[in-house]
């Protein structure tokens, strides 16, 4: 299965938004990063992990960002591992990527 990377990239560019909120929900935990997304790429693993700890593919969001609870985003990259099966859904002001392990949401940030 190939991620519709063009769909995600088109959605990001269509928002003309300087800052996005990227959320990850996994096992009841919520992590959030505010990020200026400047590009996205799809990364393949150099070799297959027989134990399934490392995803065969990952969606990389490039840009400066910081965690909502403090701290800068390392290397200006946010990685969304694409483990198992996954789906993307355009929900207007949110793009959701659901994997077998977690739900990632990219949403526009409005300034008041």
């Amino acid at each position: 299965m190939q991620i519709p990377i063009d769909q995600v990239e088109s959605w990001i560019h269509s928002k003309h938004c300087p800052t996005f909120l990227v959320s990850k929900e996994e096992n009841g935990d919520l992590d959030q990063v505010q990020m200026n997304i400047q590009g996205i790429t799809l990364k393949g693993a150099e070799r297959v992990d027989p134990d399934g700890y490392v995803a065969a593919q990952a969606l990389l969001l490039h840009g400066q960002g910081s965690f909502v609870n403090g701290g800068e985003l390392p290397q200006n990259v946010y990685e969304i591992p694409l483990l198992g099966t996954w789906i993307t859904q355009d929900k207007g002001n949110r793009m959701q990527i659901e994997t077998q392990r977690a739900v990632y949401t990219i949403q526009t940030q409005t300034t008041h």
Side-chain angles (χ1 to χ4, degrees), residues 1-18:
M1 179 187 300
Q2 184 173 349
I3 188 165
I5 190 168
D6 293 337
Q7 177 188 4
V8 176
E9 192 167 37
S10 293
W11 181 87
I12 288 170
H13 290 303
S14 74
K15 298 306 171 191
H16 304 288
C17 181

Side-chain angles (χ1 to χ4, degrees), residues 28-69:
D29 290 332
L30 178 66
D31 294 320
Q32 295 182 311
V33 171
Q34 287 184 320
M35 183 173 195
N36 178 350
I37 300 173
Q38 299 168 341
I40 63 173
T41 56
L42 187 63
K43 174 184 106 173
E46 293 179 15
R47 59 186 169 95
V48 176
D49 178 14
D51 297 322
Y53 293 115
V54 178
Q57 291 185 345
L59 181 66
L60 303 179
L61 305 177
H62 301 276
Q64 293 183 324
S66 58
F67 292 95
V68 171
N69 60 354

Side-chain angles (χ1 to χ4, degrees), residues 90-105:
D90 181 345
K91 297 187 171 200
N93 71 336
R94 298 179 294 141
M95 174 64 70
Q96 194 170 59
I97 302 169
E98 185 173 344
T99 70
Q100 286 182 330
R101 185 174 287 174
V103 176
Y104 297 86
T105 304

